[in-house]
Amino acid sequence: MGRTYEHIDGRLADFVLGQPVFFVATAPGGAGGHVNCSPKGNKGSLVVLGPRTVAYQDWTGSGVETIAHLRENGRIVLMFCAFEGPPRIVRLHGVGGVCPPADPGFEELADRFEAPTAPGTRAIVRVDVQRISDSCGYGVPLMDFRAHRDNLDHWADTKGPDGLEAYRAEKNRASIDGLPGLG
């Protein structure tokens, strides 16, 4: 059944990189506020940087919960489920940081991804993994993957750089709990 691991070895890396979708969960500090769980499409937007470090491209969205929570307290978990093949769930618990395009090191980090200049990328989230675990996944349904959607790419291309900046200024300034998001 469930096990913990000291590091992300080749087998674990292959599993997490091979999942077409993963889930990210964060929460504000304290007893109040909203817990957030977001699905992330993985079409080359996740990389394993080292035995205890991963990163993913954070694309423009209508909310900014993950970024706001990470800036407040850094707590994050990434969950990967096998929807095909043997049942399995892998969780990577850690401390995350946000690297927006204006930060030093963004370009070098972005070059690690399949599409370093994906039009909707608003930041890169880097996670220093503190706990690596798996569990059976017996309750996860079997589903067939058809394709990644291209809606976000089309939407971001249509908005253009100025339109994306305006959208982020309006929609990504603060979380639903009023925590600072993008500044």
Side-chain angles (χ1 to χ4, degrees), residues 7 10 24 27 38 45 47 54 63 66 73 82 88 97 104 124 138 140 144 159 165-166 169 178:
H7 63 277
V24 173
S38 296
S45 60
V47 293
V54 298
T66 300
N73 62 49
R88 187 176 194 193
I124 294 172
Y138 291 165
V140 175
D144 295 321
K159 284 259 184 221
E165 187 176 329

Side-chain angles (χ1 to χ4, degrees), residues 38-68:
S38 296
K40 305 292 182 188
N42 182 20
K43 53 180 180 179
S45 60
L46 174 79
V47 293
V48 176
L49 298 172
R52 295 185 75 84
T53 310
V54 298
Y56 70 88
Q57 288 169 302
D58 182 68
W59 295 321
T60 301
S62 57
V64 70
E65 304 315 299
T66 300
I67 289 173

Side-chain angles (χ1 to χ4, degrees), residues 66-109:
T66 300
I67 289 173
H69 295 161
L70 291 178
R71 288 192 165 154
E72 186 203 28
N73 62 49
R75 296 179 305 152
I76 188 169
V77 62
L78 282 62
M79 184 178 74
F80 305 84
C81 301
F83 294 107
E84 298 178 318
R88 187 176 194 193
I89 298 169
V90 171
R91 289 180 180 87
L92 306 176
H93 292 87
V95 176
V98 180
C99 183
D103 280 10
F106 178 86
E107 301 273 332
E108 183 180 336
L109 195 51

Side-chain angles (χ1 to χ4, degrees), residues 43 57-62 118-122 149-159 164 167-168:
K43 53 180 180 179
Q57 288 169 302
D58 182 68
W59 295 321
T60 301
S62 57
T121 302
R122 66 180 169 191
R149 299 174 195 265
D150 65 356
N151 302 62
L152 179 63
D153 292 341
H154 176 72
W155 175 83
D157 284 337
T158 302
K159 284 259 184 221
L164 284 170
Y167 180 87
R168 291 173 187 147

